[in-house]
Amino acid sequence: MIKIYGSLVSRATRNLWALEELDLDYEHVSLDWAKQKNRSPEYLKINPAGKVPTLTDGNATLSESLGINLYLAQKYGQGGLWPDDDAGRARCVQWSFWAGAELEPLAYGRIREFLFKKEAGRDQALITDMAERTGPLLNLMTLSLAEHTYLAGETFTLADLNVACVVEYLERSNFDFSNWPKVESWYTNTYGRAANQKIQDQRAPIAAEMMKRLQG
Amino acid sequence: MMITLLGKAISRSARCLWALEEAGVDYEHNPVDYTKGEAKTSDFMAINPGAKIPALIDGDVAMFESLAINLYVAQNYGKGGLWPDDAAGQAQCLQWTLFSATEAEPPGAARLVQFIFRTDETRSQEVLDDAAERSKAPLATLETVLQSQPYLAGDSFTVADLNVACSVEYLVRTDFDLSPWPQVQDWIERCMARPAFQAMTAIKEKEAA
């Protein structure tokens, strides 16, 4: 049985979404980092850095949320999350790295200000700077979405899933998408998929609890 | 149909040249020079509208993002070598490639920028020290893993090693002292001694000359 480690308020949600898209049986182990469950000797054996998420599947053990999704798509999503054509597959790999290397540093930098700081303490200059540097990245997505409905072609694939779970950070930190309507409607379609909705419904009460704790 | 790698060698294209050399495939190298505006031409931007190198063309495949290109090369041309045959090894290759992008490269690149684009006088010691500090956690993770196996995905060199080594190499090139992580030091030396790495270095040297 596939096991995914990491709470619903961690990057494990990206993997839970992919697992739901693929309709796989899996066990979710919700290691609470606030309680240091990620530092237990058993967990450090499968993830020496003590980070979440980690996935185990038979002999395979891996960490890195976007890498886990590539693994799941390649192994279980042939013809769906993982397209049949070389060009589509190349785009899935490309957009996954783009999400991790280009977009996430900016999007995460932004949401960190919103999550871990109260309104008065937020670094507005940093938020503005990050928003300005995010624009060209959303332009790039717009160009791709002008060519086809989804990032790798005409159907929803792993490229959309891995990019959407990073765009989520912008959405959750009130980013103004009005200059990028194609990105906004793509995000609404993508993020609102039934498989993700199921995970988001489970996540909502836990996230609300966490926000109450962080924002008091 | 011939593979074409676009991007001057002295850039992140180097890691893709290394991968192509490891895979032993025929390829053409078009050293698109971003410093001369060549990444902003409409031809290049048809491949990467983000106007960044490297990019790769292979038949009807056109893609960007250096580490993604290397995964593509490994999966399509490196079966049983760069791309291992077993699911566990393949999972490790994906994991370590993302680890390189999200954990290892940001501090390494921050240091390299100071060395390449600044002079001795204008180099920021604060940035270098901060990046050195941030390198410690990913190096500790690598050290732990390399204590029990010679390469990141197991017993042989794979794209996991290549994609992480090209980030750790940034530390080597910026006089970072790796001696507190002896397994990492030994591993990066083995990676950089490979004939394919040397072939890539020769391409860079020729370009610089």
Side-chain angles (χ1 to χ4, degrees), chain A residues 19-38:
Chain A
L19 288 160
E20 289 293 334
E21 287 286 351
L22 295 163
D23 208 13
L24 292 167
D25 279 335
Y26 62 90
E27 184 186 335
H28 177 209
V29 185
S30 175
L31 287 185
D32 187 344
W33 51 263
K35 293 183 188 147
Q36 298 270 306
K37 297 281 192 203
N38 56 322

Side-chain angles (χ1 to χ4, degrees), chain A residues 8-79:
Chain A
L8 282 160
V9 283
S10 78
R11 289 186 178 87
T13 49
R14 304 169 171 187
N15 306 125
L16 291 165
W17 178 6
L19 288 160
E20 289 293 334
E21 287 286 351
L22 295 163
D23 208 13
L24 292 167
D25 279 335
Y26 62 90
E27 184 186 335
H28 177 209
V29 185
S30 175
L31 287 185
D32 187 344
W33 51 263
K35 293 183 188 147
Q36 298 270 306
K37 297 281 192 203
N38 56 322
R39 309 298 313 177
S40 72
E42 298 79 41
Y43 186 67
L44 290 175
K45 247 183 243 162
I46 60 168
N47 189 326
K51 291 195 172 182
V52 292
T54 301
L55 179 119
T56 59
D57 177 22
N59 287 328
T61 299
L62 77 158
S63 56
E64 289 289 333
S65 57
L66 301 174
I68 290 171
N69 281 353
L70 275 171
Y71 169 84
L72 291 171
Q74 294 185 356
K75 188 157 181 203
Y76 300 108
Q78 299 288 340

